[in-house]
Amino acid sequence: EVQLVETGGGLIQPGGSLTLSCVASGFTVSSNFMSWVRQAPGKGLEWVSIIYSGGYTSYADSVKGRFTISRDNSKNTLYLQMNGLRAEDTAMYYCAKEYGSSSVFDSWGQGTLVTVSS
Amino acid sequence: DIQMTQSPSSLSASVGDRVTITCRASQSISSYLNWYQHKPGRAPKLLIYAASRLQSGVPSRFSGDGSGTDFTLTINNLQPEDSATYSCQQSHSTPVTFGPGTRLEIK
């Protein structure tokens, strides 16, 4: 059974850094396209970043230069390092697995909440 | 980026009713439209992909239709567990984008 479990969220001051983790089971992270998607309070879902099976990465303009997606193949874990956090980064962050290369997210974690506030 | 809109933003219906949620794309996305169900504290769930294809394990009371710019999600015979937020997502172009969501309340 495919399972994704995110951790690492919390309360952080503006300008601070945080690293989110997503432990996967039931499939191999490095063989799949993996994304981070977030949902700010009262807003819709927003795609944040993707790491392709080949290792190439891509980011939403809103986080480019501040966030870094990576993975640890030995731990079957996806990461999102977030630097220079802003109030507008406050959101529930989900990791999601794509079905093939379809840009359809067929498995999601339950999310981890990041709150950026002083 | 392709903008996605949904209507209504929220609705309330009774057990056994049929409801339809509409999603519109700012440009043609062919049939690259997917629907998700999400509940607080739970992992979002893929319901429909490619506009009308039911994801494995999803009850057949859920159905999707449309192509181009206009799409619908219909839920027949509403059940209490269908209380959730429903979001559409286009997978035609990067970056993928989502609609703002429709909150469905079961009376």
Side-chain angles (χ1 to χ4, degrees):
Chain A
E1 179 192 4
V2 170
Q3 190 171 13
L4 296 164
V5 179
E6 303 96 333
T7 57
L11 175 63
I12 188 78
Q13 292 190 337
S17 299
L18 207 57
T19 298
L20 307 183
S21 301
C22 171
V23 178
S25 57
F27 72 101
T28 302
V29 165
S30 61
S31 299
N32 287 272
F33 294 5
M34 298 293 298
S35 281
W36 288 95
V37 178
R38 68 185 181 183
Q39 185 170 29
K43 303 288 187 181
L45 295 163
E46 177 191 19
W47 172 79
V48 172
S49 180
I50 186 171
I51 184 166
Y52 297 95
S53 52
Y56 178 77
T57 60
S58 183
Y59 300 89
D61 287 344
S62 58
V63 307
K64 200 173 295 182
R66 300 187 298 123
F67 289 12
T68 302
I69 191 171
S70 63
R71 67 192 182 205
D72 184 328
N73 296 346
S74 67
K75 296 181 179 179
N76 210 33
T77 299
L78 179 73
Y79 300 99
L80 185 68
Q81 181 174 349
M82 305 184 293
N83 298 327
L85 282 162
R86 306 166 180 168
E88 55 265 35
D89 296 318
T90 293
M92 184 70 78
Y93 285 74
Y94 299 96
C95 63
K97 168 187 163 298
E98 261 187 48
Y99 176 71
S101 59
S102 66
S103 297
V104 178
F105 302 112
D106 64 354
S107 296
W108 298 66
Q110 85 290 344
T112 188
L113 181 62
V114 174
T115 304
V116 184
S117 174
S118 54
Chain B
D1 299 1
I2 296 176
Q3 306 303 314
M4 306 299 294
T5 58
Q6 287 182 235
S7 61
S9 58
S10 65
L11 75 158
S12 182
S14 300
V15 172
D17 283 355
R18 180 172 73 176
V19 299
T20 298
I21 298 168
T22 298
C23 176
R24 178 165 291 173
S26 60
Q27 64 188 73
S28 178
I29 57 171
S30 185
S31 295
Y32 293 96
L33 191 283
N34 315 298
W35 290 97
Y36 300 89
Q37 175 194 66
H38 41 120
K39 303 178 181 181
R42 304 274 297 274
K45 178 182 177 182
L46 175 65
L47 299 176
I48 302 281
Y49 64 97
S52 60
R53 300 191 178 190
L54 195 67
Q55 173 69 348
S56 176
V58 173
S60 59
R61 63 178 183 274
F62 291 89
S63 64
D65 197 12
S67 67
T69 61
D70 295 316
F71 302 86
T72 57
L73 171 70
T74 299
I75 312 172
N76 290 299
N77 187 24
L78 270 177
Q79 298 299 302
E81 60 267 29
D82 298 335
S83 177
T85 297
Y86 294 85
S87 296
C88 60
Q89 175 234 342
Q90 65 82 15
S91 50
H92 177 274
S93 307
T94 55
V96 299
T97 48
F98 295 83
T102 295
R103 182 174 296 182
L104 171 61
E105 175 197 358
I106 309 299
K107 295 176 189 173

